Amino acid sequence: MDYQAVLEEVAAFARPYVGHGQVADYIPALEKVPGDRFGIAVADINGEVYGAGDWEVPFSVQSISKTFSLALVMANDNEDIWKRVGREPSGTPFNSLVQLEWENGVPRNPFINAGALVITDRLQTLTGDASTTMLHFLREESGNPDLAFDQAVADSEADHGDRNAALAHFMASFGNLENPVPSVIEHYFWQCSIEMSCRDLAAAGGFLARHGLRADGSRLLEAREAKRINAVMLTCGTYDAAGEFAYRVGLPAKSGVGGGIVAVVPGRCTLCVWSPGLDSRGNSVAGAAALDHFTTLTGWSVF
């Protein structure tokens, strides 16, 4: 596979979609990001990374971080976390309170905000410092020791984080948090604020394409656990548009409102695409188009 040629063609295809959609404006620090950026990278299972466009420009990972926190919890807890969070698509917006009322404080899946808060809470219990643990892990897997939190984004999220605080307090009222709410949401905001490029994220997600093996060859997850994370990414990773995304792209993926999407071709490679303009569901317009074209060109999907 000539990855570079494929990426250049995908980037050219996606260019007309760049600038479409709306840059996330409910987090003021994200609203300042230019909407005309586009990057794409692919990391093969041997760790070689190829890219096109703005593939080395850092951006806020936001909800993409939820994939890594879930992996770190499963690496320590195996299947126990599923007693506190479900694995079903939500069908409601990622920050909805409604289903928690119906389902006694147990979030539908780990990729909506409520579910991610439960995962962060468990990672905090396991490590004593959930956000720093994730940052160190991402530095190691990406091979980029300079990865860092973005203070302005973390502060901005904290200043506009009432909905997430409400989710956390509501779950705490049902006994589904182990740590104090302020600590959980603080670490959650720090995780979301990490800045990474397409190159960094494609490399860091490689363990999901390698069936649980880290960049250094050590095992983070059993193959069945990596399979299960990929399955939940496919069904729940793109908010309440997961069905449409699976129909178009056919790959496990996790998106973030910073405009990034990480997608996995098990046994072959991991991709990351970034363009800040979002559709009404919070997914990158140009990013989804690019991944659709990638699977069309290569014939690589899980279907």
Side-chain angles (χ1 to χ4, degrees):
M1 166 69 70
D2 186 344
Y3 282 115
Q4 194 60 50
V6 170
L7 293 183
E8 295 291 349
E9 182 170 344
V10 169
F13 174 86
R15 183 55 56 183
Y17 295 89
V18 176
H20 289 228
Q22 177 67 44
V23 174
D25 57 5
Y26 68 94
I27 302 172
L30 297 184
E31 188 177 14
K32 301 173 184 177
V33 179
D36 61 351
R37 311 304 291 269
F38 175 86
I40 186 169
V42 59
D44 68 18
I45 57 173
N46 298 313
E48 294 295 322
V49 187
Y50 309 83
D54 300 312
W55 68 297
E56 295 183 292
V57 177
F59 60 91
S60 183
V61 302
Q62 292 297 308
S63 286
I64 296 174
S65 65
K66 297 171 183 176
T67 302
F68 299 105
S69 57
L70 176 60
L72 289 169
V73 167
M74 287 187 68
N76 287 277
D77 263 6
N78 299 313
E79 299 292 307
D80 288 348
I81 191 60
W82 301 119
K83 299 172 184 176
R84 298 176 54 196
V85 62
R87 298 187 293 268
E88 296 296 330
S90 65
T92 57
F94 59 87
N95 59 356
S96 174
L97 282 154
V98 174
Q99 284 177 330
L100 284 177
E101 178 75 38
W102 296 339
E103 296 173 355
N104 299 318
V106 178
R108 272 290 177 96
N109 67 69
F111 295 146
I112 56 175
N113 286 14
L117 287 163
V118 170
I119 302 298
T120 296
D121 174 62
R122 184 58 185 157
L123 188 58
Q124 179 68 8
T125 296
L126 290 167
T127 67
D129 191 340
S131 54
T132 302
T133 297
M134 180 185 291
L135 180 62
H136 287 165
F137 174 78
L138 292 172
R139 286 173 174 172
E140 292 171 356
E141 295 305 294
S142 68
N144 183 355
D146 297 323
L147 295 183
F149 303 115
D150 185 321
Q151 179 80 53
V153 170
D155 289 345
S156 186
E157 295 205 52
D159 289 343
H160 297 80
D162 291 338
R163 178 65 67 94
N164 286 313
L167 291 167
H169 280 292
F170 196 79
M171 290 187 294
S173 75
F174 282 97
N176 201 14
L177 288 185
E178 299 170 327
N179 296 280
V181 166
S183 174
V184 173
I185 61 176
E186 178 184 12
H187 282 277
Y188 176 72
F189 292 149
W190 280 117
Q191 289 172 359
C192 290
S193 78
I194 296 171
E195 281 202 321
M196 300 175 71
S197 67
C198 292
R199 191 214 72 82
D200 296 329
L201 279 164
F207 67 92
L208 291 171
R210 292 188 293 268
H211 309 296
L213 292 180
R214 295 186 62 170
D216 63 3
S218 64
R219 183 164 292 283
L220 176 70
L221 301 167
E222 295 300 321
R224 70 179 182 277
E225 294 167 339
K227 175 191 73 175
R228 288 167 179 168
I229 291 177
N230 282 329
V232 179
M233 289 172 70
L234 179 71
T235 58
C236 307
T238 47
Y239 308 122
D240 52 331
E244 174 66 18
F245 191 89
Y247 176 82
R248 289 182 64 190
V249 176
L251 292 176
K254 183 70 198 83
S255 60
V257 297
I261 306 174
V262 168
V264 182
V265 186
R268 293 185 183 270
C269 64
T270 305
L271 300 109
C272 180
V273 63
W274 170 59
S275 191
L278 308 177
D279 62 21
S280 61
R281 284 4 185 340
N283 300 308
S284 171
V285 174
L291 291 171
D292 181 3
H293 195 57
F294 178 88
T295 54
T296 300
L297 282 176
T298 61
W300 291 356
S301 83
V302 298
F303 302 111

